[in-house]
């Protein structure tokens, strides 16, 4: 169901890879709610995904950009404003990558060159995106910037590896830059801490199916889906949340406030 929540609003969506990705679902929902946007991803990711299909479906243009490159980001913002006909109202940062995770390097035996690359892609890129937007004065007042994160930024999930550190850094960047963006530009910045979600990126984490099953048993409402996250993001892009900023907002079925659940306890006690 559409409510025209984003009618007339324009933005940039980073990270749509395929139909399983949260950024993809968000793009579909933003389109349904009347928003217009430019799609962007790293050239290597674009070769892996089906972003052209999404662009056609939503009437969007694609601008390849490496989110770790200031030059690429400056070009992206300038071209987006030209295509969209003015300043930007919303941005979704849905980017994350760990070479240590992908290559099976344990947290206690990291390749630090890989760690640095992962931090640059997963967290520093968020600062670079916002700095580029800020310096270009590219955001409309009461605009909204959202990045996606995960509970491992606060709690230990051993196999999430250095991505946990990346997400903690990402959340800190959101708060710190969000202050200046709010004070100077009336732009709000938030992160959404999403349930473990079966996306192409997430499936690379060892034991990810176990993460999903455990979180589902712990959460009174069950895991939030990619579509649930897309809907939440739409609400944060809309004018209904104009005073919400500097927040890490949990979209996890209640997992973040749980200690233990009956469903999890029954696994250990053998009781149904």
């Amino acid at each position: 169901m559409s409510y025209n929540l984003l009618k007339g609003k324009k933005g940039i969506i980073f990270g749509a890879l395929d139909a399983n990705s949260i950024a993809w679902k968000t793009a579909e929902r933003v389109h349904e709610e009347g928003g217009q946007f430019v799609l962007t991803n790293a050239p290597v990711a674009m070769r892996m995904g089906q972003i052209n299909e999404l662009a056609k479906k939503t009437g969007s243009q694609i601008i390849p950009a490496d989110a770790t490159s200031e030059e690429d980001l400056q070009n992206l913002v300038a071209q987006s404003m030209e295509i969209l006909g003015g300043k930007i109202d919303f941005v979704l940062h849905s980017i994350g990558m760990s070479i240590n995770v992908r290559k099976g390097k344990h947290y206690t035996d990291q390749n630090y060159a890989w760690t640095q690359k992962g931090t640059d892609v997963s967290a520093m890129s968020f600062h670079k995106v916002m700095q580029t937007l800020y310096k270009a004065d590219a955001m409309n007042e009461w605009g909204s910037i959202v990045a996606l994160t995960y509970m491992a930024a606060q709690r230990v999930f051993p196999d999430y590896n250095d991505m946990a550190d990346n997400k903690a850094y990402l959340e800190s960047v959101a708060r710190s830059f969000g202050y200046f963006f709010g004070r100077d530009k009336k732009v709000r910045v938030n992160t959404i801490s999403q349930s473990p979600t079966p996306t192409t990126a997430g499936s690379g984490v060892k034991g990810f199916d176990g993460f999903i099953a455990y979180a589902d048993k712990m959460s009174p409402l069950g895991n939030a889906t990619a579509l649930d996250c897309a809907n939440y993001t739409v609400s944060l892009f809309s004018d209904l949340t104009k005073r919400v900023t500097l927040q890490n907002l949990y979209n996890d079925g209640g997992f973040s406030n749980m200690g233990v659940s009956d469903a999890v306890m029954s696994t250990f006690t053998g009781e149904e």
Side-chain angles (χ1 to χ4, degrees):
M1 183 180 291
S2 173
Y3 304 93
N4 279 326
L5 287 175
L6 303 180
K7 185 177 180 180
K9 293 192 181 294
K10 301 166 184 179
I12 303 173
I13 295 178
F14 287 80
L17 183 65
D18 56 37
N20 293 319
S21 69
I22 292 172
W24 185 292
K25 299 290 187 191
T26 302
E28 290 178 330
R29 285 294 294 119
V30 169
H31 176 65
E32 290 167 2
E33 293 295 339
Q36 295 176 277
F37 48 85
V38 164
L39 293 165
T40 185
N41 211 328
V44 63
M46 290 176 63
R47 289 195 294 271
M48 293 165 51
Q50 301 99 39
I51 196 170
N52 289 322
E53 175 189 330
L54 179 63
K56 184 177 180 181
K57 181 177 182 180
T58 60
S60 306
Q61 291 193 44
I62 305 167
I63 303 175
D66 177 351
T68 69
S69 165
E70 293 177 74
E71 184 180 351
D72 278 15
L73 290 173
Q74 288 161 7
N75 177 63
L76 169 65
V77 169
Q79 281 197 49
S80 296
M81 292 173 70
E82 186 175 334
I83 289 167
L84 297 170
K87 290 189 179 185
I88 294 161
D89 299 293
F90 60 85
V91 175
L92 175 65
H93 179 283
S94 180
I95 304 171
M97 183 275 294
S98 168
I99 304 174
N100 284 306
V101 168
R102 205 164 61 212
K103 301 272 191 181
K105 268 284 191 183
H106 195 268
Y107 187 77
T108 60
D109 183 34
Q110 290 190 33
N111 177 317
Y112 290 119
W114 295 352
T115 304
Q116 190 169 13
K117 178 64 175 175
T119 300
D120 200 17
V121 171
S122 305
M124 184 67 78
S125 66
F126 191 39
H127 192 286
K128 290 178 181 179
V129 167
M130 288 198 284
Q131 181 168 290
T132 303
L133 292 164
Y134 182 91
K135 286 186 172 181
D137 194 24
M139 296 290 295
N140 277 320
E141 284 195 353
W142 304 110
S144 176
I145 301 171
V146 173
L148 301 184
T149 185
Y150 180 52
M151 164 66 72
Q154 284 84 35
R155 300 186 188 178
V156 177
F157 289 80
D159 291 325
Y160 204 63
N161 209 308
D162 57 328
M163 276 303 299
D165 302 332
N166 294 338
K167 292 302 188 184
Y169 185 15
L170 177 87
E171 292 175 17
S172 179
V173 167
R175 289 187 295 270
S176 297
F177 215 120
Y179 166 74
F180 296 106
F181 240 138
R183 184 195 69 181
D184 300 338
K185 311 283 188 179
K186 293 285 192 295
V187 171
R188 56 205 196 269
V189 180
N190 297 287
T191 54
I192 295 176
S193 188
Q194 168 72 2
S195 296
T197 309
T199 62
T200 301
S203 62
V205 177
K206 180 183 173 184
F208 196 71
D209 289 345
F211 278 11
I212 293 174
Y214 173 73
D216 201 48
K217 281 180 175 287
M218 279 286 288
S219 308
L221 297 180
N223 286 335
T225 66
L227 180 58
D228 291 331
C229 190
N231 285 327
Y232 199 10
T233 304
V234 164
S235 76
L236 290 172
F237 286 166
S238 79
D239 290 335
L240 299 178
T241 51
K242 284 176 71 171
R243 303 286 179 179
V244 180
T245 195
L246 311 186
Q247 302 301 310
N248 182 44
L249 301 161
Y250 293 96
N251 187 52
D252 62 3
F255 178 87
S256 50
N257 272 329
M258 290 297 296
V260 70
S261 71
D262 293 336
V264 169
M265 283 300 293
S266 67
T267 302
F268 295 98
T269 62
E271 298 175 359
E272 293 295 331

